[in-house]
Every structure is written in structure tokens, then in C-alpha cells.
Amino acid sequence: ENCPAKMAVTFGLNSGKYQLNSTSTHDQVPTTNTNKRCTDALTGTSVSASLTAGVIALALQVNSTLTWRDIQYLIVYTSNPSKLKLGNWTTNGGGLRVSPKFGFGAIDAEALVTRARYWTTVPERVSCFIKPR
């Protein structure tokens, strides 16, 4: 769905016209369930959030100095838009492809973790406030 705040996406379920360009015949991600048995019925945000958290954990394992802002930058610079269909892609002011459906693209674990290893922490955030009169 359209969401201007969406930074990136991960695999969750091939649904309709917004699916990944994939040759896979499987729509689900195999995992274990609460009964300690295998299941392939896990889909949607239950899969996506777990995958994203795992990728971020791997990035933090190779570079424990990363901040939440570094993670955001890494997601933006390493996400891959090339395998996503019909995203109404545009190029933003920074020269990056972005979509209201997919953000900056699909999270690329290998690219993100590789870049995290050599990442230099971004400067501290600066905030400006205007006092009301």
C-alpha cells in the first residue's frame, strides 16, 4: 500500500501486482511455529519485521558502533529497487530511486551488512527550535 513514510520493504508475501520479480513458486517463508513444528503459512508483517530485525542484528554484529541513524542511512543506500514491480518510481533530490509503495526498495542483507562493516558513523543530529512569541 502507499505510505510516504515507508523506508524499504522485505519479503512477506507475493500479493498481486506489487510482488517481487521472482521465479519462486512459494509465497510463504518456512519457519517453526509455537508447537515446534515446521510451517510455511507465515506471511506478511510477521515475516517482514523478523527479517528486517535479523538484517539489522547482523549489521550491528559486524559494526557495534552503528546508531539508529546509521541504520536508516544503510537501509536507504543499500535497498534494491530493481526487483520490484509497479512502484511508481521517481528519483528524489538526492538522486536515489524512491517509491510510495516500496520506499527505497527491497532490503538487501548482503549489501547492508557489507557496507555496515566499513561504515563511518553519521554526525549527531542537529535540531532547531523556534520559541513561540
Side-chain angles (χ1 to χ4, degrees):
E1 67 188 58
N2 281 332
C3 178
K6 194 178 293 180
M7 185 170 276
V9 296
T10 60
F11 178 83
L13 173 67
N14 286 345
S15 60
K17 60 185 176 180
Y18 303 113
Q19 65 191 12
L20 290 170
N21 289 332
S22 173
T23 57
S24 173
T25 57
H26 302 288
D27 288 337
Q28 292 81 25
V29 175
T31 189
T32 55
N33 63 19
T34 54
N35 298 322
K36 297 181 183 177
R37 295 185 182 179
C38 292
T39 180
D40 65 356
L42 187 64
T43 61
T45 57
S46 296
V47 172
S48 297
S50 301
L51 288 173
T52 302
V55 171
I56 292 169
L58 290 170
L60 289 167
Q61 189 172 22
V62 300
N63 184 346
S64 61
T65 64
L66 296 173
T67 67
W68 65 271
R69 293 182 64 232
D70 295 321
I71 296 296
Q72 287 183 327
Y73 275 82
L74 286 164
I75 289 170
V76 167
Y77 288 128
T78 62
S79 291
N80 186 349
S82 67
K83 293 185 178 182
L84 298 167
K85 298 182 195 177
L86 303 174
N88 299 326
W89 294 96
T90 60
T91 301
N92 69 8
L96 301 172
R97 291 183 65 206
V98 65
S99 159
K101 293 206 177 294
F102 302 120
F104 291 94
I107 290 181
D108 182 331
E110 182 178 12
L112 194 147
V113 173
T114 299
R115 195 153 181 185
R117 182 180 303 277
Y118 306 105
W119 185 259
T120 302
T121 301
V122 296
E124 191 172 322
R125 183 178 73 172
V126 176
S127 298
C128 299
F129 299 96
I130 299 173
K131 291 183 178 181
R133 294 179 192 203

